[in-house]
Amino acid sequence: MKLSLILLSGLFFPGISMAQYTDSVSHHSKPKVVEFIPAAAAVGYGFIALNNNTLRRFDNYIHEQTNKRHPGFNTSADDYLRYLPIVAVYGLDLAGVKGKHNFVDKSALLLISGTLTMGSVHLLKSSSNRMRPNGLNDYSFPSGHTATAFASAEFLRQEYGDVSVWYTIGGYSVATATGVLRMYKNYHWFSDVVAGAGLGILSTKFAYVIYPSIRKWVTGKDQSNFVMMPVYQNRAAGFAFSGKF
């Protein structure tokens, strides 16, 4: 697991530190092209690995190493870890820690990100026909769990990365662990996980790019006038809405 963790961390954590320490992104600032490069490169790596013998041999090497160290490894942790950064976003919101957007806007952003992520994953899985390492089916490329995990981690970074770098580090660490577990369970090759990670990050980044235009088209205004907050009263949970029509 150590080898896989180092490889994935090396691919994505440089982008995290660059985004955190080079230039803080304000609520209204536009993302720079350079911020998309690491994730785009990861997706490109995955596509190249589909037909490149050298990268396929490297996939086989990683697969052999993981099986040698932990044969028969199995866990369901990856099914839950992929959503943990999302839980953290709403948990921080409930705790009163102010993020970049209000509850309604961040929920809309999450919906767009999830749609882009799962739509892309489904399209690629059905067209690439790559067999999983365990031979279960030919839906190996890219890793959907990893894509969801990194989309969630980027969601956490976008909302709370300016509050503390540790939110970003925590979210991306959980996402990396999800990808590693998918390889140890023999559900994915290394390049599947790398491509999935890049795809998830790009999906969330694009969601944040296009959302202001979508919101303005729907509401006619640059910012939402509606606020939705979770409430708990008389032993009943729900949501409270306020705003101007």
Side-chain angles (χ1 to χ4, degrees):
M1 184 176 291
K2 184 176 179 181
L3 173 62
S4 302
L5 187 62
I6 290 173
L7 287 168
L8 280 175
S9 298
L11 278 168
F12 296 106
F13 274 87
I16 296 173
S17 58
M18 175 184 66
Q20 290 295 323
Y21 294 112
T22 303
D23 189 19
S24 295
V25 181
S26 67
H27 185 86
H28 298 287
S29 62
K30 294 181 179 180
K32 299 176 181 178
V33 175
V34 68
E35 296 177 22
F36 291 82
I37 293 177
V43 175
Y45 176 92
F47 274 108
I48 294 172
L50 288 174
N51 298 295
N52 183 279
N53 290 331
T54 300
L55 296 184
R56 290 184 75 122
R57 283 195 295 269
F58 186 65
D59 276 342
N60 287 324
Y61 170 75
I62 296 295
H63 175 63
E64 291 170 2
Q65 291 300 310
T66 55
N67 275 276
K68 182 189 299 183
R69 297 178 182 181
H70 299 277
F73 180 86
N74 190 34
T75 180
S76 60
D78 50 312
D79 294 329
Y80 306 101
L81 285 176
R82 55 180 165 163
Y83 301 118
L84 191 56
I86 296 175
V87 174
V89 169
Y90 287 100
L92 288 167
D93 196 27
L94 280 170
V97 182
K98 187 177 180 181
K100 188 179 291 186
H101 294 91
N102 62 38
F103 188 90
V104 173
D105 286 336
K106 65 164 58 86
S107 297
L109 283 158
L110 179 61
L111 177 62
I112 296 170
S113 170
T115 301
L116 291 173
T117 301
M118 298 318 299
S120 301
V121 167
H122 177 74
L123 178 64
L124 292 174
K125 279 183 178 293
S126 60
S127 60
S128 61
N129 302 124
R130 189 181 198 188
M131 189 65 65
R132 293 184 187 274
N134 58 14
L136 183 64
N137 55 47
D138 59 354
Y139 295 144
S140 188
F141 180 86
S143 169
H145 278 65
T146 308
T148 300
F150 276 87
S152 302
E154 178 63 16
F155 178 54
L156 176 59
R157 187 194 76 81
Q158 290 280 351
E159 289 298 322
Y160 289 101
D162 290 341
V163 176
S164 172
V165 69
W166 291 107
Y167 293 132
T168 298
I169 292 174
Y172 270 79
S173 295
V174 167
T176 300
T178 301
V180 171
L181 289 176
R182 296 304 286 172
M183 289 187 288
Y184 271 82
K185 289 175 66 174
N186 287 325
Y187 272 84
H188 289 288
W189 307 98
F190 176 72
S191 57
D192 298 336
V193 170
V194 172
L199 194 64
I201 294 171
L202 286 178
S203 295
T204 298
K205 284 185 178 295
F206 277 123
Y208 276 80
V209 170
I210 65 177
Y211 181 63
S213 297
I214 294 175
R215 182 178 59 187
K216 188 173 182 179
W217 177 71
V218 172
T219 66
K221 299 179 180 180
D222 289 334
Q223 294 186 0
S224 173
N225 284 328
F226 298 93
V227 177
M228 180 171 66
M229 292 293 293
V231 296
Y232 183 82
Q233 187 175 6
N234 297 327
R235 297 182 179 180
F239 295 96
F241 293 85
S242 65
K244 295 180 180 180
F245 292 87

